[in-house]
Amino acid sequence: MPMDPVGSTSLIDYIVDITAQRDAELLEITLLKTMVECFSMSRVRMCKIHFDTKTMYSLREAGPDATVRECGIDEIEELQEEMGPVFLQSSENQKPVTLQNADERILIYPLFIFNVNIGFIMIYSGLKQHMDVLLVTSFLKIYNNYITLLLDSQKDSLTGLLNRKTFDDKLMSVIEYKRRMETALFSADSQRKAVRHLDEFWLGIFDIDNFKRINDAYGHLYGDEVLILIAQIMRINFRTSDIIFRFGG
């Protein structure tokens, strides 16, 4: 059955829009809007999970009008309780799962980056709506492959942390966001309230004491091992939602 109402040319245009993004956050938002507009779905959600505990820490949703919003902690906990077993099944099998209740059909697609399950995309459609599951999952595979390539290009090759260019890009996006807030481009009070939890940012910087002595005394191979160990310690002790960079190197 052909896709309705979007044709193959429009689908390619949507793919072009997605692959034009170079920021992971903007890419997620673009994907959610695209899934609603391109496939005329009721709503689309993207939830992210901690790679170790498998608990959800972030949930975004695009409604019928393709407006994307950040869901609150109550909604995250409710979805975790409702869909936890289904998420586990989809993650273990590394395959999409389709559910159906009295009102709607839900396609759950697991996202894997470097063989690690980082979250799920949930696509909701009415029972009378046609969902071409093969076409939708193929579209999501393109997204999954692209985000993997994008994240790989943002990583420091030695430590696996995000690299300096990505730090510069993130910092500029924060500065631009704050500028827009302060110049009242988000003029409506409701809009300001909706993004208030994103209105503060924290930056921490630390250096390794006497690191040059390690390189001078034992060589750069030992110095590299120290950097790798420090990176592992940071990943263990910081939250999944925190963004960690290697600024030097």
Side-chain angles (χ1 to χ4, degrees), residues 18 27-35 46 121 139 143:
I18 285 180
L27 180 59
E28 288 180 10
I29 293 171
T30 302
L31 174 73
L32 293 175
K33 294 169 66 71
T34 296
M35 295 301 297
M46 176 180 289
I121 296 175
F139 189 85
Y143 167 79

Side-chain angles (χ1 to χ4, degrees), residues 54-70:
K54 305 301 180 184
T55 55
M56 196 183 310
Y57 69 88
S58 173
L59 180 63
R60 279 195 176 112
E61 178 181 273
D65 60 352
T67 299
V68 179
R69 70 182 183 93
E70 296 279 347

Side-chain angles (χ1 to χ4, degrees), residues 186-196:
F186 291 126
S187 56
D189 290 340
S190 59
Q191 289 179 300
R192 291 190 61 85
K193 290 176 183 177
V195 296
R196 184 167 293 167

Side-chain angles (χ1 to χ4, degrees), residues 227-242:
L227 291 173
I228 293 170
L229 178 60
I230 293 293
Q232 291 173 345
I233 293 172
M234 292 176 68
R235 277 194 288 265
I236 291 171
N237 288 279
F238 281 85
R239 298 167 299 184
T240 307
S241 55
D242 293 327

Side-chain angles (χ1 to χ4, degrees), residues 162-179:
L162 295 173
N163 57 30
R164 181 167 178 172
K165 181 182 183 304
T166 308
F167 171 82
D168 292 341
D169 293 342
K170 290 287 185 183
L171 184 61
M172 293 306 299
S173 67
V174 169
I175 292 172
E176 173 61 17
Y177 173 84
K178 296 293 286 185
R179 184 194 68 80

Side-chain angles (χ1 to χ4, degrees), residues 83-214:
M83 293 292 185
V86 181
F87 287 161
L88 182 61
Q89 174 191 348
S90 180
S91 177
E92 290 179 345
N93 297 333
Q94 298 190 22
K95 292 182 179 179
V97 174
T98 302
L99 303 176
Q100 183 172 313
N101 55 36
D103 302 314
E104 57 190 357
R105 187 182 298 107
I106 309 170
L107 174 65
I108 300 173
Y109 185 91
L111 290 172
F112 282 83
I113 305 294
F114 310 118
N115 295 319
V116 176
N117 183 204
I118 64 163
F120 302 89
I121 296 175
M122 307 176 65
I123 303 171
Y124 296 76
S125 65
L127 297 181
K128 295 183 179 181
Q129 289 178 280
H130 171 69
M131 182 192 295
D132 189 331
V133 175
L134 180 60
L135 184 61
V136 169
T137 54
S138 296
F139 189 85
L140 291 175
K141 286 177 182 177
I142 293 174
Y143 167 79
N144 209 151
N145 289 341
Y146 180 69
I147 189 65
T148 301
L149 291 172
L150 180 62
L151 293 178
D152 189 48
S153 70
Q154 294 178 342
K155 284 191 172 185
D156 172 65
S157 58
L158 176 65
T159 62
L161 303 180
L162 295 173
N163 57 30
R164 181 167 178 172
K165 181 182 183 304
T166 308
F167 171 82
D168 292 341
D169 293 342
K170 290 287 185 183
L171 184 61
M172 293 306 299
S173 67
V174 169
I175 292 172
E176 173 61 17
Y177 173 84
K178 296 293 286 185
R179 184 194 68 80
R180 293 176 64 192
M181 290 292 290
E182 290 168 3
T183 54
L185 291 184
F186 291 126
S187 56
D189 290 340
S190 59
Q191 289 179 300
R192 291 190 61 85
K193 290 176 183 177
V195 296
R196 184 167 293 167
H197 68 289
L198 298 175
D199 202 17
E200 293 184 344
F201 302 88
W202 297 87
L203 173 64
I205 304 174
F206 68 85
D207 195 17
I208 303 174
D209 291 340
N210 303 316
F211 184 63
K212 186 177 184 301
R213 292 184 189 177
I214 297 173

